[in-house]
Amino acid sequence: MPQVKKVSVQNRILDAALSLFSENGYQATSMPEIAARAGITPGNIYRYYASKFELFYGVLEPWLNGQLDALEQRLADMQDGPEKVRAILTFLWIDLPRAGNNFEINLMEALATKKPGEPYSRKLLVQSEGRVARLLDRCLPAEARQLLLSTELAHILFMAHDGFVLNAPLADETARIEGMIDGLVGLIFRQNG
């Protein structure tokens, strides 16, 4: 008879994992520590998640979707195209890399230490890029959309985002990044600086 997984136990695991990854980082967090914080046995955690990598993605997906939801709400209150693009770039290059005690650095650690053969799907990246592409479609001028598809631009922005994630714990380069954002917005909207 198959054992029934309890939603309340799974939620405790996810909450414990989010806390520990945020506090200690992916590498420094172990499955037994997560189990202890969730109040279950170390062996029981594997009934819910086959590996720490799988568990991390179980935490990352709702966290990232919540961050993107908040961005969409902020943009809904804005009218100006350049202001919206600036907000998207600021989100991707400054706010998100620093959110949750640099939570996304965990993603870099997880990907860098993924075991060969451990399942990995680009689904979350593709979905996130798609959401950003749809936001860009609503605010880019027609000329910019003719030169570069919003899906291509979203991919470029996410690839740059990865570099900003890696750099965020090392240095506060907010002014420099804001200058890059202003320059890119100026190029997109053909504004003179």
Side-chain angles (χ1 to χ4, degrees), residues 82 141-147 182-193:
E143 316 84 70
R145 286 196 307 270
Q146 288 174 348
L147 291 173
D182 289 341
L184 186 53
V185 170
L187 284 172
I188 289 171
F189 289 91
R190 299 182 187 259
Q191 299 168 340
N192 295 326

mmCIF file with all atom_site columns, all heavy atoms in Angstrom, residues 82 141-147 182-193:
data_model
loop_
_atom_site.group_PDB
_atom_site.id
_atom_site.type_symbol
_atom_site.label_atom_id
_atom_site.label_alt_id
_atom_site.label_comp_id
_atom_site.label_asym_id
_atom_site.label_entity_id
_atom_site.label_seq_id
_atom_site.pdbx_PDB_ins_code
_atom_site.Cartn_x
_atom_site.Cartn_y
_atom_site.Cartn_z
_atom_site.occupancy
_atom_site.B_iso_or_equiv
_atom_site.pdbx_formal_charge
_atom_site.auth_seq_id
_atom_site.auth_comp_id
_atom_site.auth_asym_id
_atom_site.auth_atom_id
_atom_site.pdbx_PDB_model_num
ATOM 1   N N   . PRO A 1 82  ? 9.180  53.923 -21.037 1.00 0.00 ? 82  PRO A N   1
ATOM 2   C CA  . PRO A 1 82  ? 10.541 53.925 -20.496 1.00 0.00 ? 82  PRO A CA  1
ATOM 3   C C   . PRO A 1 82  ? 10.588 53.630 -18.990 1.00 0.00 ? 82  PRO A C   1
ATOM 4   O O   . PRO A 1 82  ? 11.474 52.914 -18.524 1.00 0.00 ? 82  PRO A O   1
ATOM 5   C CB  . PRO A 1 82  ? 11.043 55.344 -20.787 1.00 0.00 ? 82  PRO A CB  1
ATOM 6   C CG  . PRO A 1 82  ? 10.250 55.786 -21.975 1.00 0.00 ? 82  PRO A CG  1
ATOM 7   C CD  . PRO A 1 82  ? 8.900  55.149 -21.798 1.00 0.00 ? 82  PRO A CD  1
ATOM 8   N N   . PRO A 1 141 ? 8.708  50.253 -27.620 1.00 0.00 ? 141 PRO A N   1
ATOM 9   C CA  . PRO A 1 141 ? 8.223  50.923 -28.827 1.00 0.00 ? 141 PRO A CA  1
ATOM 10  C C   . PRO A 1 141 ? 8.290  49.961 -30.021 1.00 0.00 ? 141 PRO A C   1
ATOM 11  O O   . PRO A 1 141 ? 9.081  49.014 -30.029 1.00 0.00 ? 141 PRO A O   1
ATOM 12  C CB  . PRO A 1 141 ? 9.195  52.097 -29.002 1.00 0.00 ? 141 PRO A CB  1
ATOM 13  C CG  . PRO A 1 141 ? 10.419 51.709 -28.256 1.00 0.00 ? 141 PRO A CG  1
ATOM 14  C CD  . PRO A 1 141 ? 9.977  50.791 -27.158 1.00 0.00 ? 141 PRO A CD  1
ATOM 15  N N   . ALA A 1 142 ? 7.458  50.209 -31.028 1.00 0.00 ? 142 ALA A N   1
ATOM 16  C CA  . ALA A 1 142 ? 7.372  49.326 -32.195 1.00 0.00 ? 142 ALA A CA  1
ATOM 17  C C   . ALA A 1 142 ? 8.736  49.148 -32.867 1.00 0.00 ? 142 ALA A C   1
ATOM 18  O O   . ALA A 1 142 ? 9.080  48.036 -33.281 1.00 0.00 ? 142 ALA A O   1
ATOM 19  C CB  . ALA A 1 142 ? 6.348  49.877 -33.185 1.00 0.00 ? 142 ALA A CB  1
ATOM 20  N N   . GLU A 1 143 ? 9.519  50.224 -32.959 1.00 0.00 ? 143 GLU A N   1
ATOM 21  C CA  . GLU A 1 143 ? 10.831 50.131 -33.617 1.00 0.00 ? 143 GLU A CA  1
ATOM 22  C C   . GLU A 1 143 ? 11.736 49.132 -32.903 1.00 0.00 ? 143 GLU A C   1
ATOM 23  O O   . GLU A 1 143 ? 12.472 48.391 -33.531 1.00 0.00 ? 143 GLU A O   1
ATOM 24  C CB  . GLU A 1 143 ? 11.563 51.485 -33.645 1.00 0.00 ? 143 GLU A CB  1
ATOM 25  C CG  . GLU A 1 143 ? 10.749 52.701 -34.013 1.00 0.00 ? 143 GLU A CG  1
ATOM 26  C CD  . GLU A 1 143 ? 9.988  53.304 -32.833 1.00 0.00 ? 143 GLU A CD  1
ATOM 27  O OE1 . GLU A 1 143 ? 10.591 53.882 -31.907 1.00 0.00 ? 143 GLU A OE1 1
ATOM 28  O OE2 . GLU A 1 143 ? 8.755  53.185 -32.862 1.00 0.00 ? 143 GLU A OE2 1
ATOM 29  N N   . ALA A 1 144 ? 11.681 49.144 -31.594 1.00 0.00 ? 144 ALA A N   1
ATOM 30  C CA  . ALA A 1 144 ? 12.528 48.229 -30.815 1.00 0.00 ? 144 ALA A CA  1
ATOM 31  C C   . ALA A 1 144 ? 12.066 46.787 -31.016 1.00 0.00 ? 144 ALA A C   1
ATOM 32  O O   . ALA A 1 144 ? 12.891 45.876 -31.130 1.00 0.00 ? 144 ALA A O   1
ATOM 33  C CB  . ALA A 1 144 ? 12.485 48.596 -29.336 1.00 0.00 ? 144 ALA A CB  1
ATOM 34  N N   . ARG A 1 145 ? 10.761 46.560 -31.099 1.00 0.00 ? 145 ARG A N   1
ATOM 35  C CA  . ARG A 1 145 ? 10.234 45.205 -31.304 1.00 0.00 ? 145 ARG A CA  1
ATOM 36  C C   . ARG A 1 145 ? 10.582 44.679 -32.687 1.00 0.00 ? 145 ARG A C   1
ATOM 37  O O   . ARG A 1 145 ? 10.725 43.483 -32.883 1.00 0.00 ? 145 ARG A O   1
ATOM 38  C CB  . ARG A 1 145 ? 8.728  45.169 -31.068 1.00 0.00 ? 145 ARG A CB  1
ATOM 39  C CG  . ARG A 1 145 ? 8.353  45.254 -29.597 1.00 0.00 ? 145 ARG A CG  1
ATOM 40  C CD  . ARG A 1 145 ? 6.916  44.843 -29.329 1.00 0.00 ? 145 ARG A CD  1
ATOM 41  N NE  . ARG A 1 145 ? 5.942  45.543 -30.145 1.00 0.00 ? 145 ARG A NE  1
ATOM 42  C CZ  . ARG A 1 145 ? 5.349  46.697 -29.799 1.00 0.00 ? 145 ARG A CZ  1
ATOM 43  N NH1 . ARG A 1 145 ? 5.622  47.243 -28.639 1.00 0.00 ? 145 ARG A NH1 1
ATOM 44  N NH2 . ARG A 1 145 ? 4.480  47.264 -30.596 1.00 0.00 ? 145 ARG A NH2 1
ATOM 45  N N   . GLN A 1 146 ? 10.746 45.582 -33.660 1.00 0.00 ? 146 GLN A N   1
ATOM 46  C CA  . GLN A 1 146 ? 11.130 45.154 -35.013 1.00 0.00 ? 146 GLN A CA  1
ATOM 47  C C   . GLN A 1 146 ? 12.596 44.728 -35.055 1.00 0.00 ? 146 GLN A C   1
ATOM 48  O O   . GLN A 1 146 ? 12.962 43.819 -35.798 1.00 0.00 ? 146 GLN A O   1
ATOM 49  C CB  . GLN A 1 146 ? 10.892 46.283 -36.020 1.00 0.00 ? 146 GLN A CB  1
ATOM 50  C CG  . GLN A 1 146 ? 9.430  46.525 -36.300 1.00 0.00 ? 146 GLN A CG  1
ATOM 51  C CD  . GLN A 1 146 ? 9.210  47.742 -37.177 1.00 0.00 ? 146 GLN A CD  1
ATOM 52  O OE1 . GLN A 1 146 ? 10.116 48.538 -37.408 1.00 0.00 ? 146 GLN A OE1 1
ATOM 53  N NE2 . GLN A 1 146 ? 7.988  47.891 -37.672 1.00 0.00 ? 146 GLN A NE2 1
ATOM 54  N N   . LEU A 1 147 ? 13.438 45.368 -34.254 1.00 0.00 ? 147 LEU A N   1
ATOM 55  C CA  . LEU A 1 147 ? 14.861 45.036 -34.239 1.00 0.00 ? 147 LEU A CA  1
ATOM 56  C C   . LEU A 1 147 ? 15.167 43.770 -33.454 1.00 0.00 ? 147 LEU A C   1
ATOM 57  O O   . LEU A 1 147 ? 16.056 43.002 -33.820 1.00 0.00 ? 147 LEU A O   1
ATOM 58  C CB  . LEU A 1 147 ? 15.661 46.196 -33.647 1.00 0.00 ? 147 LEU A CB  1
ATOM 59  C CG  . LEU A 1 147 ? 15.723 47.466 -34.476 1.00 0.00 ? 147 LEU A CG  1
ATOM 60  C CD1 . LEU A 1 147 ? 16.402 48.584 -33.691 1.00 0.00 ? 147 LEU A CD1 1
ATOM 61  C CD2 . LEU A 1 147 ? 16.466 47.207 -35.779 1.00 0.00 ? 147 LEU A CD2 1
ATOM 62  N N   . ASP A 1 182 ? 19.964 53.078 -17.411 1.00 0.00 ? 182 ASP A N   1
ATOM 63  C CA  . ASP A 1 182 ? 19.602 54.331 -18.071 1.00 0.00 ? 182 ASP A CA  1
ATOM 64  C C   . ASP A 1 182 ? 20.076 54.340 -19.525 1.00 0.00 ? 182 ASP A C   1
ATOM 65  O O   . ASP A 1 182 ? 19.347 54.778 -20.421 1.00 0.00 ? 182 ASP A O   1
ATOM 66  C CB  . ASP A 1 182 ? 20.199 55.527 -17.319 1.00 0.00 ? 182 ASP A CB  1
ATOM 67  C CG  . ASP A 1 182 ? 19.526 55.776 -15.985 1.00 0.00 ? 182 ASP A CG  1
ATOM 68  O OD1 . ASP A 1 182 ? 18.396 55.283 -15.774 1.00 0.00 ? 182 ASP A OD1 1
ATOM 69  O OD2 . ASP A 1 182 ? 20.137 56.466 -15.136 1.00 0.00 ? 182 ASP A OD2 1
ATOM 70  N N   . GLY A 1 183 ? 21.293 53.841 -19.758 1.00 0.00 ? 183 GLY A N   1
ATOM 71  C CA  . GLY A 1 183 ? 21.824 53.796 -21.121 1.00 0.00 ? 183 GLY A CA  1
ATOM 72  C C   . GLY A 1 183 ? 21.012 52.879 -22.022 1.00 0.00 ? 183 GLY A C   1
ATOM 73  O O   . GLY A 1 183 ? 20.702 53.233 -23.172 1.00 0.00 ? 183 GLY A O   1
ATOM 74  N N   . LEU A 1 184 ? 20.632 51.713 -21.516 1.00 0.00 ? 184 LEU A N   1
ATOM 75  C CA  . LEU A 1 184 ? 19.855 50.776 -22.322 1.00 0.00 ? 184 LEU A CA  1
ATOM 76  C C   . LEU A 1 184 ? 18.449 51.308 -22.587 1.00 0.00 ? 184 LEU A C   1
ATOM 77  O O   . LEU A 1 184 ? 17.947 51.208 -23.702 1.00 0.00 ? 184 LEU A O   1
ATOM 78  C CB  . LEU A 1 184 ? 19.797 49.406 -21.630 1.00 0.00 ? 184 LEU A CB  1
ATOM 79  C CG  . LEU A 1 184 ? 19.145 48.273 -22.418 1.00 0.00 ? 184 LEU A CG  1
ATOM 80  C CD1 . LEU A 1 184 ? 19.762 48.121 -23.818 1.00 0.00 ? 184 LEU A CD1 1
ATOM 81  C CD2 . LEU A 1 184 ? 19.260 46.965 -21.655 1.00 0.00 ? 184 LEU A CD2 1
ATOM 82  N N   . VAL A 1 185 ? 17.825 51.898 -21.585 1.00 0.00 ? 185 VAL A N   1
ATOM 83  C CA  . VAL A 1 185 ? 16.501 52.510 -21.797 1.00 0.00 ? 185 VAL A CA  1
ATOM 84  C C   . VAL A 1 185 ? 16.605 53.613 -22.835 1.00 0.00 ? 185 VAL A C   1
ATOM 85  O O   . VAL A 1 185 ? 15.749 53.727 -23.718 1.00 0.00 ? 185 VAL A O   1
ATOM 86  C CB  . VAL A 1 185 ? 15.914 53.031 -20.452 1.00 0.00 ? 185 VAL A CB  1
ATOM 87  C CG1 . VAL A 1 185 ? 14.671 53.874 -20.704 1.00 0.00 ? 185 VAL A CG1 1
ATOM 88  C CG2 . VAL A 1 185 ? 15.581 51.860 -19.532 1.00 0.00 ? 185 VAL A CG2 1
ATOM 89  N N   . GLY A 1 186 ? 17.660 54.438 -22.750 1.00 0.00 ? 186 GLY A N   1
ATOM 90  C CA  . GLY A 1 186 ? 17.864 55.485 -23.738 1.00 0.00 ? 186 GLY A CA  1
ATOM 91  C C   . GLY A 1 186 ? 18.019 54.931 -25.146 1.00 0.00 ? 186 GLY A C   1
ATOM 92  O O   . GLY A 1 186 ? 17.462 55.476 -26.108 1.00 0.00 ? 186 GLY A O   1
ATOM 93  N N   . LEU A 1 187 ? 18.750 53.834 -25.299 1.00 0.00 ? 187 LEU A N   1
ATOM 94  C CA  . LEU A 1 187 ? 18.906 53.206 -26.612 1.00 0.00 ? 187 LEU A CA  1
ATOM 95  C C   . LEU A 1 187 ? 17.580 52.668 -27.135 1.00 0.00 ? 187 LEU A C   1
ATOM 96  O O   . LEU A 1 187 ? 17.235 52.856 -28.303 1.00 0.00 ? 187 LEU A O   1
ATOM 97  C CB  . LEU A 1 187 ? 19.909 52.060 -26.546 1.00 0.00 ? 187 LEU A CB  1
ATOM 98  C CG  . LEU A 1 187 ? 21.383 52.426 -26.492 1.00 0.00 ? 187 LEU A CG  1
ATOM 99  C CD1 . LEU A 1 187 ? 22.224 51.181 -26.224 1.00 0.00 ? 187 LEU A CD1 1
ATOM 100 C CD2 . LEU A 1 187 ? 21.815 53.091 -27.799 1.00 0.00 ? 187 LEU A CD2 1
ATOM 101 N N   . ILE A 1 188 ? 16.850 52.001 -26.269 1.00 0.00 ? 188 ILE A N   1
ATOM 102 C CA  . ILE A 1 188 ? 15.588 51.388 -26.687 1.00 0.00 ? 188 ILE A CA  1
ATOM 103 C C   . ILE A 1 188 ? 14.579 52.443 -27.131 1.00 0.00 ? 188 ILE A C   1
ATOM 104 O O   . ILE A 1 188 ? 13.894 52.281 -28.128 1.00 0.00 ? 188 ILE A O   1
ATOM 105 C CB  . ILE A 1 188 ? 14.999 50.535 -25.536 1.00 0.00 ? 188 ILE A CB  1
ATOM 106 C CG1 . ILE A 1 188 ? 15.852 49.279 -25.326 1.00 0.00 ? 188 ILE A CG1 1
ATOM 107 C CG2 . ILE A 1 188 ? 13.536 50.172 -25.805 1.00 0.00 ? 188 ILE A CG2 1
ATOM 108 C CD1 . ILE A 1 188 ? 15.502 48.479 -24.083 1.00 0.00 ? 188 ILE A CD1 1
ATOM 109 N N   . PHE A 1 189 ? 14.535 53.551 -26.386 1.00 0.00 ? 189 PHE A N   1
ATOM 110 C CA  . PHE A 1 189 ? 13.551 54.589 -26.687 1.00 0.00 ? 189 PHE A CA  1
ATOM 111 C C   . PHE A 1 189 ? 14.175 55.753 -27.466 1.00 0.00 ? 189 PHE A C   1
ATOM 112 O O   . PHE A 1 189 ? 13.529 56.789 -27.639 1.00 0.00 ? 189 PHE A O   1
ATOM 113 C CB  . PHE A 1 189 ? 12.889 55.069 -25.393 1.00 0.00 ? 189 PHE A CB  1
ATOM 114 C CG  . PHE A 1 189 ? 11.960 54.028 -24.825 1.00 0.00 ? 189 PHE A CG  1
ATOM 115 C CD1 . PHE A 1 189 ? 12.425 53.096 -23.909 1.00 0.00 ? 189 PHE A CD1 1
ATOM 116 C CD2 . PHE A 1 189 ? 10.633 53.962 -25.232 1.00 0.00 ? 189 PHE A CD2 1
ATOM 117 C CE1 . PHE A 1 189 ? 11.585 52.114 -23.399 1.00 0.00 ? 189 PHE A CE1 1
ATOM 118 C CE2 . PHE A 1 189 ? 9.782  52.986 -24.721 1.00 0.00 ? 189 PHE A CE2 1
ATOM 119 C CZ  . PHE A 1 189 ? 10.264 52.056 -23.809 1.00 0.00 ? 189 PHE A CZ  1
ATOM 120 N N   . ARG A 1 190 ? 15.420 55.569 -27.889 1.00 0.00 ? 190 ARG A N   1
ATOM 121 C CA  . ARG A 1 190 ? 16.132 56.569 -28.678 1.00 0.00 ? 190 ARG A CA  1
ATOM 122 C C   . ARG A 1 190 ? 16.107 57.944 -28.029 1.00 0.00 ? 190 ARG A C   1
ATOM 123 O O   . ARG A 1 190 ? 15.812 58.954 -28.662 1.00 0.00 ? 190 ARG A O   1
ATOM 124 C CB  . ARG A 1 190 ? 15.589 56.625 -30.085 1.00 0.00 ? 190 ARG A CB  1
ATOM 125 C CG  . ARG A 1 190 ? 15.738 55.317 -30.819 1.00 0.00 ? 190 ARG A CG  1
ATOM 126 C CD  . ARG A 1 190 ? 15.236 55.403 -32.245 1.00 0.00 ? 190 ARG A CD  1
ATOM 127 N NE  . ARG A 1 190 ? 15.251 54.111 -32.856 1.00 0.00 ? 190 ARG A NE  1
ATOM 128 C CZ  . ARG A 1 190 ? 16.190 53.686 -33.700 1.00 0.00 ? 190 ARG A CZ  1
ATOM 129 N NH1 . ARG A 1 190 ? 17.182 54.460 -33.999 1.00 0.00 ? 190 ARG A NH1 1
ATOM 130 N NH2 . ARG A 1 190 ? 16.102 52.496 -34.235 1.00 0.00 ? 190 ARG A NH2 1
ATOM 131 N N   . GLN A 1 191 ? 16.394 57.928 -26.717 1.00 0.00 ? 191 GLN A N   1
ATOM 132 C CA  . GLN A 1 191 ? 16.435 59.178 -25.956 1.00 0.00 ? 191 GLN A CA  1
ATOM 133 C C   . GLN A 1 191 ? 17.858 59.697 -25.936 1.00 0.00 ? 191 GLN A C   1
ATOM 134 O O   . GLN A 1 191 ? 18.811 58.920 -25.833 1.00 0.00 ? 191 GLN A O   1
ATOM 135 C CB  . GLN A 1 191 ? 15.957 58.950 -24.520 1.00 0.00 ? 191 GLN A CB  1
ATOM 136 C CG  . GLN A 1 191 ? 14.531 58.455 -24.436 1.00 0.00 ? 191 GLN A CG  1
ATOM 137 C CD  . GLN A 1 191 ? 14.189 57.970 -23.040 1.00 0.00 ? 191 GLN A CD  1
ATOM 138 O OE1 . GLN A 1 191 ? 15.039 57.659 -22.243 1.00 0.00 ? 191 GLN A OE1 1
ATOM 139 N NE2 . GLN A 1 191 ? 12.894 57.912 -22.757 1.00 0.00 ? 191 GLN A NE2 1
ATOM 140 N N   . ASN A 1 192 ? 17.990 60.965 -25.996 1.00 0.00 ? 192 ASN A N   1
ATOM 141 C CA  . ASN A 1 192 ? 19.317 61.570 -25.876 1.00 0.00 ? 192 ASN A CA  1
ATOM 142 C C   . ASN A 1 192 ? 19.632 61.800 -24.421 1.00 0.00 ? 192 ASN A C   1
ATOM 143 O O   . ASN A 1 192 ? 18.822 62.303 -23.683 1.00 0.00 ? 192 ASN A O   1
ATOM 144 C CB  . ASN A 1 192 ? 19.385 62.910 -26.629 1.00 0.00 ? 192 ASN A CB  1
ATOM 145 C CG  . ASN A 1 192 ? 19.215 62.714 -28.120 1.00 0.00 ? 192 ASN A CG  1
ATOM 146 O OD1 . ASN A 1 192 ? 19.653 61.687 -28.653 1.00 0.00 ? 192 ASN A OD1 1
ATOM 147 N ND2 . ASN A 1 192 ? 18.590 63.661 -28.777 1.00 0.00 ? 192 ASN A ND2 1
ATOM 148 N N   . GLY A 1 193 ? 20.851 61.406 -23.994 1.00 0.00 ? 193 GLY A N   1
ATOM 149 C CA  . GLY A 1 193 ? 21.234 61.559 -22.602 1.00 0.00 ? 193 GLY A CA  1
ATOM 150 C C   . GLY A 1 193 ? 21.814 62.824 -22.362 1.00 0.00 ? 193 GLY A C   1
ATOM 151 O O   . GLY A 1 193 ? 21.829 63.807 -21.942 1.00 0.00 ? 193 GLY A O   1
#
